[in-house]
Amino acid sequence: MRYCKKCVMPDTRPGIYFDELGICQACRAEEKKDSTDWKERKRELELLCDKYRRTEEGQYDCIIAVSGGKDSHFQVYYFKEVMNMNPLLVSVEDNFTMTEAGKHNLRNISERFGCHLITLKPNIKAQKAIMKKTFERDGKPTWYIDRLIYTYPLHIANKFNIPLIVYGENINYEYGGADRVETYSAKNQLNNGVASDIPFEELIDENISLNDLMFCDAPNTEVIDKLEPIYLSYFTRWNSYSNFVFAKKNGFKDLSHEWKREHTFENFDQVDTMAYLVHPWLKYPKFGHASATDYASKYIRYGLITREKGIELVKKYDHNLDQKAVSDFIQFLGYSLSEFYNIIDKFYNKDIFEKNTYGDWVLKNPIWNS
């Protein structure tokens, strides 16, 4: 494993690019923001909004895909109060045990900004069957939910004839990935690696029907061509920490007084439910990095901490799998603890991990030894 010379991201992140100086693409993207003409980008967004703004009362100008999180709060504020648009909010719940913060935040985003919210609660029976299959086979337990998060707003946009759909950041460009082109268009978002398509014939069995997967299928090309999904991060300088600071001033709750999580040092990202956190942690056995690496890298790019401090945080937190999240996960799917860890064990990448004398998986080349 090689590590970025500026942040702490390894080259095992799928699709990430390191330049000739050993700096990752995400760090270079952050640097580029200093020379970007954000006033001109805002004018571009104003023209785009004017194109889709409805003139009749009671009509929606755009759809915003939200979770209730810090970034969602900023997105809704920006389009409702800066762009003077009338957004319809669309969310997909994951059916896991919600935190008190998660319950509050989803309500708050509607109440604070005065927006209608359409929420999909997926078929729980189907979700459990699909989760088990994608977890045991691919190490992707939340594929069904993640896929719906990307596809469901497209279906709602088509149904209500609201072409403009707003997403937050372009993950591949902001944080590193194969599709690292700086663009406002989110039409290629389904290929960003989070919820890439799995052929339905590989999922259908006696417990999973085509009807269960209906919303997972994106609208056809003819429909997509009529829609305008965009990334807000192209038009205004995107900063996850600044979004949190803004959101907290507008009623967002973090987990300060509710849950000290074992896998990360921050308390404001992915705070909605418990079991979902198993999914982002699974990057660790596959790629040797997880949430602590993600946020330490962001903090370094934002100038909040040094690289040395980032390395300390990665060493302390990155390997930990939060046990509260595990407990909720296995209760939801009906696994025993040993069954759960036996499944996880097979996803460790032997190119970058080895077992120590105690039988525990350890990185061969951790950043603190590199």
Side-chain angles (χ1 to χ4, degrees), residues 327-339:
S327 178
D328 194 48
F329 185 94
I330 63 175
Q331 183 176 2
F332 184 80
L333 290 180
Y335 291 118
S336 68
L337 199 58
S338 61
E339 287 173 332

Side-chain angles (χ1 to χ4, degrees), residues 52 154 157-158 162-165 187 219 223-229:
Y52 293 104
L154 301 176
N158 180 47
I162 310 172
L164 185 60
I165 310 167
K187 283 191 175 183
V223 170
I224 293 292
D225 286 344
K226 296 176 182 178
L227 301 178
E228 186 83 80

